[in-house]
Amino acid sequence: MTDHDNGLWVRRFHPAPAGAPRLVCLPHAGGSASFFFPVSRALSPAVEVLSIQYPGRQDRRHEPCVPTIGELARQVFGVLRPWLDQPLAIFGHSMGATLGFEVARLIEAETGAPAAHLFPSGRRAPSCRRHETVHLLDDEGLLADVKKLSGTNSAVLGDPDMLRAALPAIRSDYRAAETYEYVPGPKLSCPVTVFTGDADPKTTVDEAKAWAEHTSGPFDLHVFPGGHFFLAQHQPAILRTLSTALTRTAVG
């Protein structure tokens, strides 16, 4: 462990050698750092995976959730500052994709150097606004949307006590994601590679393509069969893409 390995926010599940490409993973709404344990295991030791644990869940459940994407981005950026001694790539799924965009903006604006790569997954481009109010539904309505997307572990959905513990974080994250408003600004200059499902109710393929408008760097789009959590069925292909891009970044 290094002196900047903040155990509250940053989880390193597997060691990596000094100088290995570094990938920060940002969970979806209601998600936790452990969601990316398989990614860390698969990419180790060639890639150093840092998975972010937001306040308000699991071992941080007694902390208040962060109410907005903007504020969460500022806090995550602050935590990641010590890790910017080398290029940092970012992968975010769903809410984590929007958060990743805002963190990448902060990295470039505050340090003058871009993130190594941004990998948004399962989320429309920041400029594609939808009017969504799932966060205003009662608990039953909120859980119905979560189940429809199949985003939370089925063991949690079937356990009333675990559900009660998870609901505040799920609702807060939905509110942050649904009330997010893109503020126009300079484009990113890092490469952006987008992953999306062709039947995702939260993101159309055209909305995923619109990420190209947010970078002046290289852009790539990978469309997979499936819904919002397509990445569970297509993990090998996604991991190959991540590994190839990160290795190229390290060599470059």
Side-chain angles (χ1 to χ4, degrees):
M1 292 287 191
T2 68
D3 59 1
H4 59 262
D5 192 3
N6 186 324
L8 279 178
W9 286 89
V10 180
R11 309 297 162 94
R12 289 197 298 175
F13 299 118
H14 303 91
R22 191 170 279 165
L23 178 67
V24 173
C25 292
L26 302 171
H28 55 280
S32 59
S34 57
F35 180 79
F36 291 107
F37 181 89
V39 173
S40 177
R41 180 177 55 200
L43 295 180
S44 174
V47 175
E48 181 177 42
V49 174
L50 309 177
S51 191
I52 299 298
Q53 183 81 318
Y54 309 141
R57 65 218 65 218
Q58 292 187 337
D59 57 335
R60 302 191 70 186
R61 64 188 178 278
H62 299 302
E63 300 176 54
C65 295
V66 182
T68 68
I69 295 291
E71 177 56 30
L72 186 55
R74 284 187 286 274
Q75 292 192 32
V76 171
F77 171 70
V79 169
L80 291 177
R81 262 190 183 278
W83 297 93
L84 294 172
D85 56 330
Q86 69 182 63
L88 196 72
I90 302 170
F91 178 97
H93 183 68
S94 195
M95 179 189 83
T98 307
L99 176 63
F101 169 72
E102 292 294 342
V103 172
R105 287 176 112 182
L106 286 170
I107 289 174
E108 193 156 348
E110 297 292 329
T111 72
H117 207 122
L118 177 63
F119 300 96
S121 168
R123 189 66 176 171
R124 59 191 175 271
S127 54
C128 294
R129 181 90 169 115
R130 287 192 190 185
H131 179 65
E132 295 178 315
T133 56
V134 177
H135 70 278
L136 296 176
L137 299 176
D138 61 15
D139 289 353
E140 188 177 338
L142 179 61
L143 286 175
D145 193 76
V146 172
K147 291 176 182 178
K148 180 178 70 177
L149 298 177
S150 301
T152 300
N153 187 293
S154 57
V156 173
L157 290 174
D159 186 319
D161 291 333
M162 290 179 73
L163 263 184
R164 266 195 298 276
L167 262 176
I170 294 172
R171 186 177 298 282
S172 178
D173 288 353
Y174 263 70
R175 181 184 298 112
E178 293 184 342
T179 59
Y180 168 79
E181 292 188 18
Y182 167 68
V183 177
K187 292 184 178 184
L188 298 174
S189 56
C190 65
V192 174
T193 300
V194 177
F195 304 104
T196 195
D198 63 2
D200 187 345
K202 298 290 187 181
T203 306
T204 67
V205 173
D206 282 343
E207 287 174 325
K209 284 179 182 174
W211 277 96
E213 302 167 10
H214 294 288
T215 183
S216 60
F219 176 79
D220 200 8
L221 173 67
H222 296 262
V223 181
F224 296 92
H228 192 59
F229 279 88
F230 64 90
L231 71 174
Q233 289 77 44
H234 302 285
Q235 188 183 82
I238 293 170
L239 288 171
R240 280 195 301 273
T241 301
L242 290 172
S243 180
T244 300
L246 292 168
T247 301
R248 188 182 301 128
T249 298
V251 171

